[in-house]
Amino acid sequence: MRRRVLLKSMNTALRTCPADCILMVVIQLSIVCLPVGGLYVLRWMVDSLVNKNVSLMLFSMFGYCFMIWFQKALQDWYNHYFLMYYSLLRFEKNIKEVFFRICLCMKLDDYNDAAFVNHSLRAKNASVNILRLYQAVVQLACTFFSVIAMGLVLRSINSKLIAVFAVMSLTEMVDNLFTLYQNKKFLYETTQLEKEETQLSELLLRAGSLKEIVLLHSVPFVLGKWKDVVRGLIRKERKKNAKIFAFSLCMKSVYCFGTIFSYLFLFRAFLSGEIGIGEFSVTVSAITMLRDVFSNLFDGVANVSQFAVLVVPFFDYAEHANSHGKTKKTEAAATGDLTLKGVSYRYHNAQTNALDQIDLVIENGKKYVIVGENGSGKTTLMKVLMGLFEPTEGTILYGNTNLTDWDERALYQYYSDVSQDYNIYAVSVQDNIDFSRSGKDINMDAALREMDLQELLDQKDRMIGKEYGGIDLSGGQQQKIAILRAEHKGGNVFFLDEPTSAIDPLQEKKLFDRLLSVAKGKTTIIVSHRLALCKSADSVIVMRHGRIAEMGTHEELMRNKGIYERMYAEQARLYKI
C-alpha cells in the first residue's frame, strides 16, 4: 500500500511539474555531495599543515571554505526560494487543475453525503503534499547516499564509530515516528471540527449571511458555536502537543548521553595513538556532520511516512472517481422521449426513498408541470430526469439509450435549466449570461431590454458582487439573468425549477410566456407552486410522498376532484382574499 502511494506520488509529481522535479534531484545531490568532498579537502589541509606545506594548506583552506559557503548558499536558495516561491506555487496551480478535473467526474448526489464532503476536503488539502512527498523521497535518497559516503570515510579511520553513531541516532527516528503517529491521529479526529469552523467563519464573514444574523439577533448564538468548535480544536491540539513534548524530551535525553559517550570514545582513541592529528580532525568534523546527516536521514524517513499518509486521501478520491464516477460513453444525438421505469431514489443516510417506483413517459416536444407539497419529491424527480442523480433502482431512457450510459458532456448540451438553487458568478453580467460559452451570437442589449433589465445596459461589463468591487443585484434581477442564461444556451429539453420564485407577480406571467415561447416545440418540464401555470401544460404531474399521485391535463384533474383540485381551489381562494 505504502509503496503504491509512493509510486503514484512520484508519477503525479513528475507529470505535473517535470522540469522542477528533475532540478530537485540535481540540487539535492549537489547539497549532500559537497560536505563529503569537504572532508577530503579538510584532510589535505591538515596533512599539509603537518608537513608544513603552506601553499597547499592555503589552497586547501580556501577550497574548503568555498565549498562550505557554496553548500550553505545553495541550500538556502533551494529551501527559501526554489521550493517556496517557485516550484511549490507552480505545482499548487497545476495540481488544483488536476483535482478540479477529478471533481467533475463525481456524481452530484455524492455531495449529499457528509462523509464524502469530508473526504473531498481532505483530498483537496492532500493534493499539495504530493510535491512535498516527492521532495522528501528525493532528499531521503540523497541523504542515504551521503550516509554511505561518510560511513566509508569513518570506516577507513575506525569501524566501531559507525555502530556507535547509528545506535545513538535511532532516537531521532523513534521521536519522529511518534510525532507522525500523533499528527495523523489529530488530522482524522479534527476533520469534522475544521469543516464546522470554516462554515461558521464564512457565515460571520459573508455579507449576505452576516446581515441576516444581525437582523435575527443571532450573533451571540453563532459566535458561541464558533467558540465551542475552536475550543474543541485547541483542546485536541494541546493534548497532542503535550504527548509529543513528553516523548521527545525522553528521546533527547537519550541522544545527549549517546553524544557524550561517542566523544569519550573518540578522545580515548586519539590518546591511545589509534588515530593521528589529521585523522582526529577529519573524524571530529565527520562526527559533527554525520550527526546532522543521521538526523536528516531519520527526519526524511519521518517526512516520507508523514506525507505518504497525508496524500492518501487524494489518491483514494481519484480512485473513487474512476470506479464510481462518470464513465459513460454514448454521444449519439439526443432525441425521443424520456422514459422512467420503476425508478426509485434514496438520499445518502436517508431511511426512506425520496422517489418510490416511478413509471413515467415524458413525451418529446410536450410541456409538463410537476406540482405537489413541499418534500413530495418534485425537485428530486427533476434532478433524476436530468441525470444529476443516479436512480437507486430502475432505469431512465432518453430515446432508446439508458441515461446512465450517456457521457454527461454530450448529454448536457441538449439540456438547459433554471434551478431554484441557481448561481450568479463573480464575473460580469454579460459573462454570466453567456456562461455556457455556447458560441451562439447574442444581442446583449436587446436581451436585457426584453427581460426588463434596462438598468443594467450600462453596467453589463461590470463584475457582479460588491465584495469584489462590482455591482449588487436584487433577487429578481439575479433570477432574470439565470433565465437569460438558460435561454441563450438553448437545447432540446428545458428544465425549470421554480424559475420565477423571486420575481413579482406582475412580471411573472410575462416571463412565463417568454419562456414557453423560447421552449416552443421542445420538451419542457417545470416545477412550480403556481398552479395557474398548469393550464398551459400538456400534462400535470402531481407528486405525493415520492410517488405520482395523479397525472393528466388541468381540466382532467379538476374533474377528478382529487389532490390537485383541492390544491388549486385552496390557492385560488388565497388569491381571492
Side-chain angles (χ1 to χ4, degrees):
M1 172 66 179
R2 187 64 56 83
R3 185 174 64 178
R4 188 162 58 91
V5 170
L6 288 175
L7 290 174
K8 284 185 175 181
S9 298
M10 301 290 281
N11 182 46
T12 302
L14 282 166
R15 285 190 293 106
T16 306
C17 291
D20 293 349
C21 290
I22 294 171
L23 192 56
M24 277 186 193
V25 176
V26 175
I27 294 173
Q28 282 286 359
L29 278 174
S30 301
I31 290 173
V32 299
C33 288
L34 283 169
V36 178
L39 288 177
Y40 289 100
V41 176
L42 178 63
R43 190 167 190 172
W44 294 337
M45 183 175 68
V46 174
D47 287 342
S48 62
L49 179 63
V50 172
N51 297 327
K52 299 181 180 181
N53 188 337
V54 178
S55 59
L56 181 59
M57 184 198 70
L58 291 174
F59 178 78
S60 302
M61 182 180 66
F62 283 117
Y64 181 71
C65 292
F66 174 78
M67 292 178 75
I68 292 175
W69 171 84
F70 185 72
Q71 191 253 354
K72 293 294 183 184
L74 183 61
Q75 192 165 23
D76 287 344
W77 176 82
Y78 176 75
N79 290 329
H80 300 141
Y81 175 75
F82 178 76
L83 288 180
M84 297 301 297
Y85 301 109
Y86 187 74
S87 62
L88 191 58
L89 292 179
R90 191 207 302 270
F91 181 81
E92 283 182 356
K93 177 176 70 70
N94 293 345
I95 200 66
K96 275 184 180 179
E97 182 179 352
V98 174
F99 177 75
F100 293 150
R101 291 187 184 280
I102 293 172
C103 290
L104 291 174
C105 293
M106 297 299 183
K107 295 180 290 187
L108 182 64
D109 54 350
D110 285 334
Y111 291 94
N112 293 318
D113 183 8
F116 178 82
V117 173
N118 287 344
H119 191 184
S120 65
L121 289 173
R122 283 195 293 265
K124 179 176 178 291
N125 294 332
S127 61
V128 74
N129 291 314
I130 294 173
L131 184 67
R132 293 192 176 104
L133 176 57
Y134 177 89
Q135 175 207 346
V137 170
V138 171
Q139 185 174 355
L140 178 62
C142 293
T143 305
F144 187 73
F145 173 79
S146 177
V147 168
I148 294 175
M150 287 193 177
L152 292 174
V153 173
L154 285 177
R155 183 175 178 276
S156 65
I157 298 172
N158 193 317
S159 58
K160 295 179 181 178
L161 290 171
I162 300 175
V164 172
F165 292 117
V167 172
M168 181 186 71
S169 301
L170 282 174
T171 57
E172 290 288 330
M173 182 178 68
V174 175
D175 189 12
N176 281 299
L177 288 176
F178 182 80
T179 302
L180 166 66
Y181 169 75
Q182 292 297 327
N183 286 331
K184 175 186 173 183
K185 183 180 176 183
F186 176 78
L187 174 69
Y188 278 86
E189 285 181 351
T190 58
T191 299
Q192 181 65 28
L193 288 174
E194 290 283 0
K195 187 175 73 172
E196 291 176 12
E197 194 278 333
T198 301
Q199 182 186 27
L200 291 168
S201 297
E202 288 178 353
L203 287 176
L204 293 167
L205 290 172
R206 282 202 311 262
S209 57
L210 186 59
K211 179 176 68 175
E212 187 174 23
I213 289 170
V214 171
L215 289 173
L216 292 172
H217 301 288
S218 301
V219 173
F221 171 73
V222 177
L223 199 58
K225 294 278 287 183
W226 177 81
K227 287 180 178 178
D228 289 341
V229 171
V230 172
R231 286 193 196 102
L233 284 169
I234 292 173
R235 250 192 326 269
K236 287 182 178 295
E237 188 164 12
R238 186 181 294 140
K239 184 178 178 181
K240 177 202 73 172
N241 290 337
K243 289 181 179 179
I244 291 174
F245 172 76
F247 191 82
S248 182
L249 185 62
C250 294
M251 292 297 102
K252 290 293 188 292
S253 300
V254 174
Y255 185 88
C256 181
F257 286 116
T259 304
I260 294 171
F261 176 79
S262 300
Y263 278 110
L264 288 174
F265 177 84
L266 179 62
F267 286 131
R268 178 182 172 278
F270 174 71
L271 293 174
S272 64
E274 293 180 26
I275 57 176
I277 183 64
E279 293 172 324
F280 179 84
S281 301
V282 171
T283 306
V284 169
S285 298
I287 287 172
T288 305
M289 285 190 288
L290 191 59
R291 182 183 59 191
D292 293 335
V293 168
F294 267 116
S295 178
N296 291 336
L297 179 66
F298 295 127
D299 282 346
V301 172
N303 287 335
V304 169
S305 300
Q306 179 179 0
F307 288 125
V309 171
L310 293 177
V311 300
V312 166
F314 177 84
F315 294 110
D316 286 348
Y317 192 73
E319 286 183 6
H320 179 85
N322 292 332
S323 59
H324 302 289
K326 303 172 182 178
T327 57
K328 305 162 190 179
K329 302 174 182 177
T330 301
E331 296 187 14
T335 56
D337 302 337
L338 273 165
T339 306
L340 284 73
K341 297 180 179 180
V343 169
S344 298
Y345 180 78
R346 179 177 296 188
Y347 286 96
H348 289 282
N349 301 321
Q351 300 300 315
T352 58
N353 289 339
L355 296 179
D356 193 19
Q357 295 298 313
I358 301 291
D359 292 302
L360 175 65
V361 177
I362 303 293
E363 295 183 30
N364 185 35
K366 291 192 175 181
K367 295 187 288 292
Y368 294 80
V369 178
I370 305 173
V371 300
E373 299 173 349
N374 290 333
S376 60
K378 302 185 299 296
T379 297
T380 304
L381 177 59
M382 175 85 83
K383 290 182 176 179
V384 167
L385 284 166
M386 294 176 69
L388 298 176
F389 289 176
E390 193 169 313
T392 309
E393 298 177 33
T395 57
I396 305 174
L397 301 178
Y398 191 2
N400 297 319
T401 306
N402 194 318
L403 208 63
T404 58
D405 293 332
W406 275 89
D407 178 85
E408 275 79 359
R409 295 180 185 178
L411 178 64
Y412 293 160
Q413 67 178 318
Y414 301 108
Y415 285 177
S416 192
D417 83 294
V418 180
S419 63
Q420 59 181 330
D421 53 353
Y422 61 87
N423 287 301
I424 296 297
Y425 302 95
V427 294
S428 68
V429 173
Q430 182 167 295
D431 285 338
N432 263 282
I433 295 171
D434 190 25
F435 205 74
S436 65
R437 291 298 188 265
S438 62
K440 300 176 183 177
D441 293 331
I442 179 173
N443 187 330
M444 196 63 64
D445 290 355
L448 291 172
R449 287 193 185 94
E450 290 173 9
M451 197 58 76
D452 290 328
L453 291 172
Q454 296 90 337
E455 64 274 17
L456 299 180
L457 287 173
D458 296 331
Q459 303 185 81
K460 61 179 179 289
D461 293 322
R462 290 193 63 187
M463 181 180 285
I464 295 176
K466 278 191 172 180
E467 61 269 39
Y468 305 109
I471 59 176
D472 200 15
L473 301 181
S474 67
Q477 288 174 320
Q478 292 182 21
Q479 198 159 45
K480 287 178 181 179
I481 287 175
I483 292 170
L484 278 174
R485 182 193 300 154
E487 287 183 9
H488 177 56
K489 179 180 182 293
N492 295 346
V493 185
F494 277 76
F495 294 93
L496 309 173
D497 189 356
E498 299 288 357
T500 58
S501 59
I503 296 172
D504 63 77
L506 294 176
Q507 296 189 45
E508 184 179 30
K509 185 178 185 306
K510 180 180 177 182
L511 279 176
F512 263 123
D513 290 342
R514 175 186 173 88
L515 283 170
L516 295 176
S517 174
V518 171
K520 188 175 181 180
K522 300 175 180 179
T523 305
T524 307
I525 304 168
I526 305 171
V527 171
S528 180
H529 285 97
R530 313 288 172 89
L531 300 186
L533 179 65
C534 298
K535 292 181 179 180
S536 60
D538 294 305
S539 186
V540 180
I541 301 168
V542 183
M543 297 294 297
R544 183 177 176 83
H545 302 314
R547 290 176 173 268
I548 297 178
E550 298 175 350
M551 184 172 174
T553 65
H554 167 75
E555 292 76 13
E556 290 171 347
L557 294 177
M558 291 297 290
R559 286 196 298 270
N560 289 344
K561 302 291 183 181
I563 298 171
Y564 177 81
E565 189 273 338
R566 291 194 297 272
M567 291 172 61
Y568 189 89
E570 181 64 22
Q571 198 168 102
R573 185 182 65 81
L574 291 173
Y575 275 109
K576 286 179 182 178
I577 292 174

